């Protein structure tokens, strides 16, 4: 963050300090923080006890991603000039980058004690409350930030997200519209508005607004530029042409929207599908795909150059005018390769046990929507371990598999992590299971697309695709949704899961399934 007109560093000083400060501040405005640091060092050599020099030096250190050093220098400034609100605010920022949350919160509160009209401090407190799932507190802080700065786009966006988490969708849209009015080119605001429309079931408007996703930096960095690709397909029948179908975003998104492949194939001659490598083995036997390519480097490949058109996978719902009533629901549309099914038959074909796959943790969600706490822990699933006659198989990947070293009491669980090298392997396992229990992750979409019995545990504020709220999914007929009533506590939900699983196991034993 560059220094602003309210920063103590811009106070009037006598020469030569004033000239040096002015030169350094100008460098900071240009993003030339390393050069600014050298000037501040010169200033500190001349004026070692100047709190303004200490602060500006610390602020520049913060901009070059040295928050620990910044904390030291800004703290020195505060020790000499404790009544300057800006010092406390930027110290809070430095502490926040070091994940020293309580200390950062203390600094933001100190900022407001000195300057009750500081919108950024209110925003930071709201952001911290939001990250803890404290909706009411977060909304109060964001509203206070907006009262001091009516065109505070980020505060409007986060206030909208809080309303969305409470399912007050009309108010959420109103806030997001205010954020867009303040910052018309803010892609985050537009994308969150799109997701809110989709959550409200206003699919046509939502798909249109969702085009803004390509302006998000994280997608621009991963998705080929349209300038490097053949023309965008408009959906018209082109039976003699070749289409490049591009995967995008997470594995779950690709597994969910590949259901549109038959509709695409009905209008195009040949289809080349570019997707992440772990998905390729799963799709090798899929009808309608003429050629599979890795997503990495696709724009410069001969395959792309030979295509007449391209289309991103998540643009298909708009192209086919998808509403809640017209979602393609034919399942299974995914199939485990026959060789993989045979491979797992010997290990998982035992009919004496009710076999359940488990996934409890996914990747952290987008930083702009921290309220959707989708992951739990293996310990949270402890009530499931009390059910007799059940054998559990971990479909979990990543660091969360370390929790398997101390499984819940009574839970017999097999760790398959090292054997699940791609989604085809996971699909082969699911083919032989009686049930998959998972949080909102790619395995939920895989099991749903395979037509498997799957129970998906959802947080209080879930992703748009799981609405309208209820036990049934509009996207997956064989899926049952279980909603958590608290962002902090999974125990009531897992107790309910255990009771429901016991009933299912009883049906299995009696031959009713």
């Amino acid at each position: 963050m560059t220094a602003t007109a309210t920063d103590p560093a811009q106070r009037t000083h006598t020469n030569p300090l004033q000239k040096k400060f002015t030169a350094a501040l100008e460098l900071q405005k240009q993003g030339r923080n390393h050069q600014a640091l050298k000037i501040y060092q010169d200033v500190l050599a001349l004026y070692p006890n100047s709190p303004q020099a200490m602060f500006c030096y610390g602020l520049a250190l913060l901009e070059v991603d040295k928050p620990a050093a910044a904390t030291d220098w800004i703290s020195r400034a505060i020790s000499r000039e404790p009544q300057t609100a800006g010092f406390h605010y930027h110290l809070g920022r430095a502490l926040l980058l070091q994940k020293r949350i309580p200390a950062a919160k203390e600094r933001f509160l100190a900022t407001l004690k000195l300057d009750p009209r500081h919108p950024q401090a209110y925003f930071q407190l709201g952001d911290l409350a939001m990250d803890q799932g404290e909706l009411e507190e977060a909304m109060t802080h964001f509203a206070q930030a907006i009262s001091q700065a009516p065109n505070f786009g980020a505060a409007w966006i986060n206030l909208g997200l809080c309303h969305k988490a409470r399912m007050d969708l009309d108010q959420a849209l109103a806030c997001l519209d205010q954020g867009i009015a303040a910052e018309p080119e803010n892609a985050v605001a537009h994308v969150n508005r799109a997701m809110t429309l989709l959550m409200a079931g206003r699919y046509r408007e939502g798909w249109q607004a969702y085009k803004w996703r390509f302006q998000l930096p994280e997608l621009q960095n991963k998705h080929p530029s349209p300038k490097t690709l053949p023309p965008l397909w408009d959906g018209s029948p082109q039976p003699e042409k070749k289409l490049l179908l591009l995967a995008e975003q997470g594995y779950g998104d690709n597994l969910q929207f590949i259901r549109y492949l038959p509709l695409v194939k009905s209008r195009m001659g040949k289809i080349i599908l570019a997707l992440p490598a772990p998905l390729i083995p799963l799709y090798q036997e899929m009808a309608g795909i003429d050629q599979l390519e890795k997503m990495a480097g696709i724009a410069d490949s001969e395959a792309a150059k030979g295509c007449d058109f391209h289309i991103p996978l998540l643009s298909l719902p708009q192209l086919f005018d998808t509403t809640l009533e017209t979602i393609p629901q034919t399942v299974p549309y995914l199939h485990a390769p026959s060789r993989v099914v045979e491979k797992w038959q010997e290990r998982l074909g035992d009919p004496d046990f009710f076999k359940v796959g488990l996934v409890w943790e996914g990747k952290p969600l987008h930083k702009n929507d921290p309220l959707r706490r989708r992951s739990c822990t293996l310990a949270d699933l402890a009530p499931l371990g009390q059910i007799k006659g059940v054998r559990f198989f971990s479909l979990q990947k990543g660091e969360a598999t370390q929790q398997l070293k101390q499984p819940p009491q009574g839970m017999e669980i097999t760790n398959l992590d090292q054997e699940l090298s791609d989604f085809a392997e996971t699909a082969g396992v699911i083919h032989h299971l009686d049930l998959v229990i998972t949080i909102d992750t790619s395995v939920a979409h895989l099991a749903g697309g395979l037509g498997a019995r799957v129970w998906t545990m959802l947080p209080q504020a879930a992703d748009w695709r799981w609405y309208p709220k209820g036990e049934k999914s509009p996207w997956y007929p064989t899926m049952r949704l279980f909603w958590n009533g608290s962002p902090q506590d999974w125990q009531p939900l897992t107790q309910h899961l255990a009771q429901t699983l016991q009933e299912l196991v009883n049906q299995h034993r009696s031959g009713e399934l």
Side-chain angles (χ1 to χ4, degrees):
M1 179 177 181
T2 57
T4 67
T6 59
D7 289 331
Q10 289 194 348
R11 296 175 177 177
T12 301
H13 300 280
T14 57
N15 289 330
L17 187 60
Q18 180 183 7
K19 291 182 179 180
K20 286 185 174 292
F21 265 133
T22 301
L25 287 169
E26 186 59 35
L27 288 169
Q28 277 188 285
K29 290 178 183 178
Q30 299 170 16
R32 297 159 65 185
N33 290 289
H34 287 284
Q35 292 171 269
L37 281 169
K38 294 179 180 178
I39 296 178
Y40 289 136
Q41 289 170 350
D42 294 340
V43 172
L44 284 166
L46 291 171
Y47 301 89
N49 296 317
S50 167
Q52 290 80 19
M54 294 173 182
F55 168 75
C56 288
Y57 186 55
L59 190 59
L61 286 166
L62 193 56
E63 295 307 314
V64 297
D65 198 25
K66 294 183 178 180
T71 296
D72 179 45
W73 282 98
I74 298 175
S75 296
R76 294 188 198 186
I78 290 174
S79 69
R80 289 168 173 78
E81 192 173 308
Q83 298 304 309
T84 301
F87 287 7
H88 292 273
Y89 172 72
H90 289 291
L91 177 57
R93 290 182 57 229
L95 292 165
L96 199 59
L97 289 173
Q98 298 170 76
K99 301 187 184 303
R100 296 169 62 181
I101 305 303
K105 184 175 181 178
E106 183 181 336
R107 289 305 96 206
F108 297 136
L109 289 170
T111 303
L112 291 172
K113 187 175 182 180
L114 294 167
D115 179 8
R117 299 176 61 84
H118 198 294
Q120 287 285 355
Y122 283 120
F123 176 83
Q124 295 287 4
L125 288 170
D127 215 36
L128 289 173
M130 189 178 181
D131 198 39
Q132 296 300 314
E134 300 292 342
L135 285 180
E136 299 302 326
E137 181 182 346
M139 293 170 73
T140 297
H141 289 310
F142 292 137
Q144 289 170 318
I146 290 166
S147 71
Q148 302 304 323
N151 290 323
F152 198 158
W156 279 114
I157 294 169
N158 280 9
L159 183 58
L161 291 175
C162 290
H163 281 294
K164 180 160 75 81
R166 296 175 60 188
M167 287 303 294
D168 188 353
L169 301 185
D170 288 340
Q171 192 61 42
L173 288 169
C175 290
L176 291 167
D177 286 341
Q178 289 281 1
I180 291 170
E183 302 176 18
E185 298 304 311
N186 189 322
V188 171
H190 284 282
V191 171
N192 277 302
R193 181 175 178 273
M195 291 181 175
T196 306
L197 289 165
L198 292 170
M199 183 180 288
R202 295 163 60 177
Y203 272 22
R204 288 192 174 101
E205 298 169 80
W207 300 129
Q208 177 64 28
Y210 197 49
K211 290 181 178 180
W212 274 89
R213 69 191 184 278
F214 293 112
Q215 302 305 315
L216 295 172
E218 55 264 36
L219 200 55
Q220 287 182 325
N221 295 336
K222 295 179 181 179
H223 198 274
S225 168
K227 297 178 181 179
T228 64
L229 297 168
L232 185 67
W233 182 44
D234 63 4
S236 60
Q238 302 281 350
E240 304 301 322
K241 301 294 185 179
K242 186 183 293 186
L243 176 71
L244 177 62
L245 182 57
L246 294 170
E248 56 170 299
Q249 302 188 58
Y251 295 131
D253 295 293
N254 292 299
L255 292 164
Q256 179 178 1
F257 292 102
I258 196 64
R259 69 182 64 222
Y260 284 89
L261 181 62
L263 292 174
V264 175
K265 188 62 176 178
S266 70
R267 300 187 185 185
M268 294 299 299
K270 291 187 176 181
I271 296 176
I272 294 179
L273 175 61
L275 69 168
L279 287 169
I280 288 179
L282 177 65
Y283 291 172
Q284 283 178 336
E285 297 179 9
M286 184 177 289
I289 300 174
D290 296 284
Q291 187 175 332
L292 286 169
E293 295 286 338
K294 292 182 181 179
M295 191 67 185
I298 187 61
D300 299 321
S301 70
E302 291 302 317
K305 294 174 183 177
C307 288
D308 301 289
F309 301 98
H310 88 278
I311 191 73
L313 189 61
L314 272 68
S315 294
L316 295 177
Q318 183 189 18
L319 207 62
F320 289 102
D321 193 27
T322 302
T323 66
L324 273 171
E325 293 72 32
T326 61
I327 294 172
Q329 286 193 322
T330 301
V331 296
Y333 60 85
L334 298 175
H335 302 274
S338 53
R339 59 175 177 79
V340 182
V341 171
E342 293 172 5
K343 168 186 170 182
W344 287 100
Q345 171 65 35
E346 184 176 347
R347 288 182 61 184
L348 300 172
D350 186 351
D352 295 333
F353 289 90
F354 193 85
K355 299 177 288 295
V356 179
L358 294 178
V359 181
W360 58 91
E361 185 172 303
K363 292 181 180 179
L365 287 163
H366 196 281
K367 63 182 179 180
N368 289 306
D369 201 354
L371 293 170
R372 294 186 286 129
R373 296 180 173 277
R374 61 175 178 171
S375 296
C376 61
T377 65
L378 181 59
D380 288 324
L381 301 179
L384 302 180
Q386 304 307 308
I387 301 173
K388 304 300 181 184
V390 176
R391 183 169 291 172
F392 294 96
F393 296 87
S394 172
L395 308 180
Q396 181 68 53
K397 300 290 291 181
E399 187 177 343
T401 57
Q402 295 299 312
Q403 298 172 35
L404 290 163
K405 294 178 180 179
Q406 293 182 309
Q409 186 176 4
M411 181 178 285
E412 181 182 344
I413 184 166
T414 302
N415 182 7
L416 300 178
D417 179 31
Q418 297 302 311
E419 299 174 82
L420 302 181
S421 56
D422 55 51
F423 282 92
E425 293 292 336
T426 305
V429 172
I430 291 174
H431 180 88
H432 295 290
L433 298 179
D434 298 296
L435 172 68
V436 174
I437 299 177
T438 177
I439 50 98
D440 176 8
T441 189
S442 56
V443 173
H445 296 284
L446 176 61
L450 290 166
R453 182 187 290 114
V454 52
W455 294 354
T456 303
M457 301 181 290
L458 296 172
Q460 185 180 32
D463 192 47
W464 66 267
R465 70 198 77 210
W466 306 118
Y467 290 87
K469 199 168 186 177
E471 286 192 355
K472 295 293 185 180
S473 165
W475 294 88
Y476 300 109
T478 63
M479 180 180 290
R480 182 173 176 179
L481 307 180
F482 291 78
W483 294 83
N484 192 8
S486 166
Q488 308 294 341
D489 185 9
W490 286 90
Q491 286 302 307
L493 173 58
T494 54
Q495 289 286 355
H496 176 49
L497 268 178
Q499 294 170 7
T500 311
L501 179 58
Q502 182 66 73
E503 295 170 3
L504 192 64
V505 171
N506 291 342
Q507 293 176 18
H508 174 74
R509 289 171 180 163
S510 65
E512 296 178 23
L513 287 182

